[in-house]
Amino acid sequence: MTGDTAFSPNDPSLSSNANLHITIDEGSQNSENLLEEEGNDLENDCEQLFEIDGDDHENGMDVKNDHYFDIESNGHEDDGDDTNEHLFDIDGNGHENNVDEQLFDIEGSGHEDNKDDASLVDDGSGTSQRKVYPPPVVGMEFESYDDAYNFYNCYAKDIGFAIRVKSSWTKRNSKEKRGAVLCCNCEGFKTVKDANSRRKETRTGCLAMIRLRLVESNRWRVDEVKLEHNHLFDPERAQNSKSHKRIDSGAKRKVEPTLDVEVRTIKLYRAPAIDTVSYGSSNSNKGEINSQCDRSRSLNLKLRNGDVLLIQNFFCRAQLVDPNFFYVMDFNDEGLLRNVFWIDSRSRAAYAHFNDVVSFDTTCLSFNYEIPLIAFVGVNHHGQNILLGCGLLADETLETYIWLFRAWLTCLSGRPPQTIITNQSKAMQSAIAEVFPRAHHRLCLANVVQSILESLGALQDYEAFQMFFIRIVYDSLKVEEFELAWEDMIQRFGLRDQEWLRIFYDDRERWVPVYSKDIFFAGLSYFQKDESVSSIFDGYVHDKTSLKDFFDIYDIFLEKKRQKEALDDFESRDLSPILKTRCYYELQLSQLYTKEVFRKFQDEVVMMSSCFNITQILTNGTIATYTVKESEGGEIMRDVRNFEVVYDKTGAEIRCICSCFNFKGFLCRHALCVLNYNGVEEIPFQYLLPRWRKDFKRLYVPDFGSNNVDITNPVQWFDHLYKRAMQVVEEGMNSQDHYMVAWQAFKESLNKVRLVADKHV
C-alpha cells in the first residue's frame, strides 16, 4: 500500500455478511475486574497476583506466590512491521505501520474450500510460501490461554525473537488463571548475582510484550500490546530458544487453526444497532437484533452526486502535502460508502502532548446538519480547542461508534485518552466502554444543563427554577449537599412525575461536577459555568454547509488555528504580562505559563483578597485541615462560604474542596491563601504542569518509531529515515539560524551517503 491512496474494493468479504462469524461482546462490570487503573496492576481483593519470571511456558502451573508484582505502565507503541495487508484500506501516508490495519481485519467464512490460501503468502509467482502471523493487536481474542501463547510465540519466531512468561495471576484460593503478561526474552536485565556470570548478556531491557486477560465469555483477550524492540532481531539464536523448541506438532496444530477458528479469533467485533437515545435496556430478541444489524449495515452516507470523488480527491491532495495524513473508509454490504475518518499529521503529533482530556463533538449530528460531521477536540497549552481528528458518519449506532473509536485509536498508536467528554447517548457510552475501558467518560455539562432547562421552559416558576438548578449543579461542594438540594428542587417545583429528569439524575455521576473532582479536565470549557454548547467549527460550518463547501474551508480553518497558536506562542515567549499584585505566586507563574493560562491564574491571585479568616480545624500528623472563608458579594460577611483545604507539609501537597486544580489546571485562591498562611514562598513543583509551560518545546511531528529497524526490510528504512528527517525539518523552521544548521547537516549527510554509494560502484 506504500504510496497509494486506496479504497476498500467492493468485495463481500469486507462486510459483516450472513456468512461472517459474528461475536457480540456485551461485557459487564464484573468482566473488567482485572483491568488495572492508570498502569497500576494491583488487582482487587478477590484476586491474587503471581509472578513467574523465566523462559518456560507455564501451562496450568501451580505457582505459590503471595506477593504482588509491578508490570510496566500502559503504553502502546507501533511496530512498523509490514508483514500483512488486510481487507480494510487504511491510508495514512502510504508508509504507515501496517500494524494499524489489523484492527479492521474482517474475514468471512465463504473460503472454507480454499482455507489454506488465507494463511499463506504468495511470492508473486503463484507459489505458496510459509504461514505469516500478523502482529498482535488490542482486541484479539483466543479460545484458550495456550492458543494465545502459541500465537505470540509463532509470531515471535517469524520476526526473529523469543518470548517468555513475565508474570501471571489467578483468582485467590484458585488455580484458575485470570491473566498473564508475555514478553520478549530480552526484557529486563541481569540480576546482581548473575552480573558476573560468564554467560553472554542477552537482556537489553526490551519492552515488547502483550497482556492477556480472561474475559466473561471465557475467552482470552489481548488488552495491551507493545511491539517496539530495542535490539536487532537474531532469528538463528531465536530458533534455539526454549519457547520455540516447545512448538511441537500439537502446538502447531493449535496455532494454525482452520479458517473458522481464525475468523473467531482475529476480527473486528460487530455489535447490534441499539437505540441511541434511550437509557433503558433492550428486550429485543435475537431476530430483532439481527434485523437491526442488517438495517445498520445497509445504511450509507447521504451524499450528493460527485461527493465520493470529492472525498477521494481531498484525501489524495492531503497526502501529497502531508505524508503522515491518515484516513480510513467503511463500506456497507453493497459497497457503498458508510463512514469516513481522517486526521492530519500535526493533529496526530499534538495528541501526544494533549491526550489527557478529549471531547467528542457531535454538534452536526445532533442538529441534523447537511454533513454528518464529527470531531475529536483537545486542549492545547494556551487553553484553546484543537482538532484531533474528523469523520463523517452514516448513523449513530453502537457499531458505527465502535468502528470510529477504533479507527481513531489505531492512528494514535493505541494510546487512549485519560478522559473523554461526549453528549448523552447510550450507544456512545457502550462504545467507549468497549474501546476505551480505562478512560473516564463524562457528559458535556453545558449540553445536559441546556437540555434540562429547555425541557422545563414552560414551568410556571421557570426563572426561580433556573437559578436554583444552576446553583446546585455548579456550586455544590459535597455529594450529600447536591443530593439533598436536588430532592428539595424536585419537591419545591413539583417535578416528581418527570421520568426523563429521573434518568438524568440516575446518570448524575457522569455530568455533575461534584462527582468528578478527582478527574483532570485541563480547563475544558464544557465544565465551566455560563458556557454554552458550541462546536469547534462554529463560524465555518452551518446546517446548510455542503461537503464541497466544507472541504473548501477546511484548510483555511486549520491554518487559522495554527496561526493563532503561533501568535500566542510568540506573545507568551517574548512579552511580559502586567502584574496586578505583589504576590510572588503571580510573578512565579508569569515566568512559566503561557499568556492565556496565566491570565486565568492571575484572576485567582487577585481573588485572594476576598478570602479571610483562615482557621485550622484538624491536625493529623503533618496533615492539617483548614477552613477558608470567602465573601462572594464583594463585601465582608455577605454571602460568605466556607472552603475546606487540606495541606500536607511533608509532601507540600494541597487540596481544596472546590477542586479548581483538576477542573482548570491551576491552584485556586483558597489553596494559595493556605500556602501563604504556612509561609510557602513558591507554588510546589507538582502543581506546575508542563502542559501549560511556554518554555516547553513541542514538536508537531509524529514519532511512531524508534531506533530499532529491521535492516533487511527496505520499507522500514524509509519509515525510519523519513520520520527522523521530518523532525530535523520541524526544528529547522524555528528560526533562520535553525534553518541554516539543518540545511548544512542535510548537505553533509547527503555527501556522506553518496560516498558510500560510490564505494559500491
Side-chain angles (χ1 to χ4, degrees), residues 429-702:
Q429 180 178 330
S430 299
I432 289 172
E434 170 72 20
V435 183
F436 312 126
R438 301 189 184 194
H440 301 291
H441 178 208
R442 292 297 180 266
L443 303 179
C444 173
L445 176 58
N447 209 324
V448 174
V449 169
Q450 178 177 310
S451 177
I452 292 176
L453 291 178
E454 287 179 353
S455 299
L456 294 174
L459 202 63
Q460 184 176 2
D461 201 3
Y462 174 76
E463 290 187 2
F465 166 77
Q466 182 183 23
M467 292 179 59
F468 192 95
F469 175 68
I470 293 295
R471 186 174 73 251
I472 69 171
V473 169
Y474 287 98
D475 296 340
S476 294
L477 295 177
K478 297 180 179 180
V479 170
E480 299 81 4
E481 179 184 345
F482 169 79
E483 292 178 350
L484 288 173
W486 182 278
E487 180 61 29
D488 183 25
M489 179 188 73
I490 297 295
Q491 184 70 28
R492 180 183 302 186
F493 296 99
L495 302 174
R496 187 75 60 188
D497 296 332
Q498 302 290 340
E499 180 65 19
W500 61 269
L501 191 59
R502 185 193 64 78
I503 294 175
F504 274 111
Y505 179 74
D506 290 343
D507 207 22
R508 60 192 179 279
E509 293 185 7
R510 293 188 183 274
W511 61 273
V512 181
V514 73
Y515 292 93
S516 300
K517 289 187 174 183
D518 294 326
I519 300 173
F520 185 73
F521 291 98
L524 197 66
S525 60
Y526 295 109
F527 263 73
Q528 304 302 312
K529 198 171 184 178
D530 300 327
E531 288 289 343
S532 59
V533 179
S534 62
S535 167
I536 190 173
F537 291 110
D538 271 1
Y540 295 89
V541 177
H542 54 78
D543 58 345
K544 299 300 181 183
T545 301
S546 67
L547 194 60
K548 181 182 183 305
D549 292 337
F550 171 71
F551 283 140
D552 286 343
I553 60 95
Y554 178 75
D555 290 335
I556 298 174
F557 164 80
L558 289 182
E559 186 59 30
K560 286 189 175 181
K561 282 282 185 182
R562 292 165 184 172
Q563 287 178 358
K564 172 64 174 172
E565 182 175 324
L567 178 61
D568 288 344
D569 282 342
F570 170 77
E571 292 180 349
S572 296
R573 184 175 61 249
D574 295 346
L575 301 180
S576 299
I578 299 175
L579 303 183
K580 297 181 179 180
T581 71
R582 295 183 178 181
C583 179
Y584 184 76
Y585 302 145
E586 183 185 11
L587 175 62
Q588 181 187 6
L589 263 63
S590 72
Q591 298 170 343
L592 298 176
Y593 278 7
T594 58
K595 180 190 67 172
E596 186 62 26
V597 176
F598 168 72
R599 185 188 63 77
K600 295 176 181 178
F601 171 76
Q602 190 177 44
D603 292 341
E604 291 294 324
V605 176
V606 171
M607 289 292 290
M608 287 174 65
S609 61
S610 64
C611 300
F612 62 97
N613 194 15
I614 302 172
T615 307
Q616 182 173 329
I617 59 173
L618 184 65
T619 303
N620 183 10
T622 60
I623 301 176
T625 303
Y626 299 85
T627 58
V628 178
K629 293 184 180 297
E630 179 181 11
S631 173
E632 296 185 330
E635 299 179 11
I636 301 297
M637 303 310 295
R638 177 186 172 188
D639 296 330
V640 174
R641 299 190 71 193
N642 293 328
F643 293 85
E644 286 187 7
V645 181
V646 179
Y647 175 56
D648 182 358
K649 296 182 179 180
T650 302
E653 295 182 358
I654 194 162
R655 173 76 181 266
C656 179
I657 196 171
C658 75
S659 200
C660 175
F661 183 77
N662 278 339
F663 285 133
K664 299 181 180 180
F666 46 78
L667 290 178
C668 63
R669 49 193 176 271
H670 319 112
L672 295 175
C673 285
V674 171
L675 288 177
N676 186 60
Y677 179 83
N678 282 273
V680 179
E681 296 181 354
E682 294 185 343
I683 295 176
F685 72 92
Q686 62 264 42
Y687 300 105
L688 305 177
L689 301 183
R691 77 167 343 273
W692 303 131
R693 293 183 69 118
K694 59 184 176 183
D695 58 344
F696 189 81
K697 183 61 182 175
R698 296 172 181 87
L699 278 179
Y700 290 125
V701 177

Side-chain angles (χ1 to χ4, degrees), residues 236-348:
E236 183 176 349
R237 186 176 67 84
Q239 296 293 331
N240 297 321
S241 67
K242 291 182 180 179
S243 66
H244 297 327
K245 287 180 179 179
R246 296 184 66 93
I247 304 183
D248 54 19
S249 59
K252 285 182 180 178
R253 284 195 295 271
K254 286 184 179 180
V255 176
E256 302 186 69
T258 64
L259 183 61
D260 287 341
V261 175
E262 289 187 347
V263 169
R264 292 196 303 270
T265 302
I266 307 169
K267 60 190 175 303
L268 169 65
Y269 286 95
R270 293 289 188 183
I274 63 174
D275 185 359
T276 62
V277 178
S278 171
Y279 265 59
S281 59
S282 173
N283 294 319
S284 301
N285 58 34
K286 183 177 180 180
E288 291 171 335
I289 289 176
N290 290 335
S291 176
Q292 288 176 327
C293 240
D294 292 340
R295 287 196 301 270
S296 173
R297 287 305 302 163
S298 66
L299 291 173
N300 59 279
L301 280 174
K302 296 178 176 61
L303 301 173
R304 296 180 179 180
N305 289 337
D307 278 355
V308 172
L309 183 60
L310 192 70
I311 294 172
Q312 182 183 18
N313 290 339
F314 168 73
F315 289 156
C316 290
R317 186 175 67 253
Q319 286 189 320
L320 285 174
V321 298
D322 183 3
N324 275 318
F325 182 91
F326 173 99
Y327 75 90
V328 58
M329 292 179 163
D330 181 27
F331 295 84
N332 66 12
D333 296 345
E334 289 75 38
L336 299 176
L337 186 59
R338 182 174 146 76
N339 302 303
V340 182
F341 169 76
W342 72 90
I343 181 173
D344 64 278
S345 63
R346 183 183 176 92
S347 296
R348 298 176 73 183

